[in-house]
Amino acid sequence: MTNPMQGVFAVATTPFSSDGEQDLAQLTRGLERVLSAGVDGVLLLGATGEAMALTAQEQEAQVRHAVDVVDGRVPLVAGCMDYRPADVVRRVAQAKEWGAAGAMVTPSYYGGLDAEVAVAALDEVFAASELPLILYNNPHSVGTDVLPEHMEPLLRHESFWAVKETSGAATRVRELRDALGDDVQVFVGADGLALEGYTQGAAGWVAASAWLLPEQCVALARAAESGDWAKAVELWDGLSAPLSAIEGSPHFISLIKQTMGRLGFEQGPVRSPLGTASAADVEALLSAVERL
């Protein structure tokens, strides 16, 4: 699908108030902050974030609220993850009803399916979707590494917009571009490999770090997009420490939230079963951020 949606997509956290309820006022503040920094899109209900810890009603409230706040200024994409393909189809249809411009899907998680089996199940989702779809390849969380050749059958669907690539394989972005052609965008999904992804021709970056460091992530992307590699390397030299700290933490959502809170953008706690980052890790990330 030839689609203008590309560039830096900031992945939103879910702010919670002290009573444990979703804090939509703080979400508004976060959205306005990343929009002011120049991000090209926003992703809600990320697959490795807190989407699974939200009720169906909370997910709907978040997407509808964000659609109203963003008001068409950038594309808004909603994560639509579930185990059964029929349930993913239903979630994508809901995201369209709520006003999302696109949806992100994953292979059926936890089962450790063969890649061919996983893609065959996704075929039903891509066939039914009326929204552009981004396929999130995250074998560390899902249990299935979908290689470029596995994705090729999905090219027959106009809904196939993009791939978010998070396997960590050094040359995977280039391999995806070679296999899928110009009509499917390839996004970097691993923040610690953002510069490598751009050197291989990534069309954009779906960045959890951009919720914390939107200006810096956008600056790196703009340098790479313009071919100013000297500037990109200079920016990466500063960004690599905080991004690697985030990427390497099993509690990265808490790490981002706590650090943002220390910077004056309160996000509240993470919701169970997600873990809480240690005070030492927060201090280390905060120091790296402040050095920027």
Side-chain angles (χ1 to χ4, degrees):
M1 169 177 280
T2 302
N3 195 301
M5 294 192 291
Q6 55 186 3
V8 178
F9 277 66
V11 183
T13 64
T14 297
F16 293 112
S17 60
S18 58
D19 61 3
E21 295 299 311
Q22 183 172 208
D23 190 337
L24 295 179
Q26 283 291 3
L27 178 63
T28 297
R29 190 180 180 202
L31 289 167
E32 293 294 353
R33 178 172 175 258
V34 299
L35 291 172
S36 296
V39 301
D40 302 290
V42 174
L43 177 78
L44 300 173
L45 308 180
T48 52
E50 291 171 293
M52 302 297 188
L54 298 175
T55 67
Q57 292 77 18
E58 287 173 324
Q59 291 180 356
E60 178 178 358
Q62 183 175 131
V63 175
R64 287 189 182 277
H65 179 81
V67 166
D68 287 344
V69 172
V70 172
D71 194 25
R73 286 177 283 177
V74 298
L76 189 148
V77 176
C80 296
M81 289 71 64
D82 218 310
Y83 188 77
R84 297 192 315 143
D87 290 328
V88 181
V89 169
R90 173 180 53 80
R91 286 181 179 271
V92 172
Q94 288 176 331
K96 182 177 186 295
E97 177 189 342
W98 301 339
M104 184 179 75
V105 300
T106 70
S108 296
Y109 41 77
Y110 185 73
L113 303 176
D114 290 339
E116 294 87 350
V117 174
V119 170
L122 282 171
D123 193 79
E124 175 183 339
V125 177
F126 280 77
S129 179
E130 296 182 13
L131 284 179
L133 296 180
I134 181 167
L135 173 57
Y136 183 17
N137 183 45
N138 186 348
H140 307 294
S141 297
V142 173
T144 304
D145 190 8
V146 184
L147 301 177
E149 58 265 31
H150 300 139
M151 298 182 193
E152 289 179 0
L154 298 175
L155 289 171
R156 67 189 183 90
H157 300 297
E158 291 187 3
S159 59
F160 193 7
W161 153 44
V163 177
K164 178 186 176 185
E165 168 50 36
T166 318
S167 71
T171 59
R172 184 68 64 83
V173 169
R174 177 188 56 77
E175 293 163 359
L176 284 164
R177 293 183 62 242
D178 288 346
L180 302 178
D182 295 334
D183 286 345
V184 175
Q185 311 283 7
V186 181
F187 287 79
V188 183
D191 288 0
L193 297 175
L195 181 59
E196 290 185 52
Y198 274 116
T199 64
Q200 295 175 47
W205 177 13
V206 180
S209 300
W211 197 247
L212 171 64
L213 298 166
E215 294 90 352
Q216 293 87 346
C217 291
V218 168
L220 174 65
R222 298 295 179 261
E225 290 162 359
S226 66
D228 188 348
W229 295 110
K231 181 66 173 177
V233 170
E234 177 187 347
L235 291 165
W236 184 248
D237 189 49
L239 264 176
S240 59
L243 265 56
S244 295
I246 293 168
E247 189 76 17
S249 172
H251 310 304
F252 75 98
I253 299 296
S254 173
L255 192 56
I256 291 172
K257 280 188 158 188
Q258 290 191 65
T259 304
M260 288 185 67
R262 294 284 296 275
L263 295 172
F265 299 93
E266 184 57 49
Q267 300 290 289
V270 291
R271 182 178 282 182
S272 179
L274 292 181
T276 300
S278 69
D281 286 348
V282 174
E283 291 295 337
L285 178 56
L286 185 62
S287 295
V289 169
E290 288 175 340
R291 285 195 295 272
L292 290 174

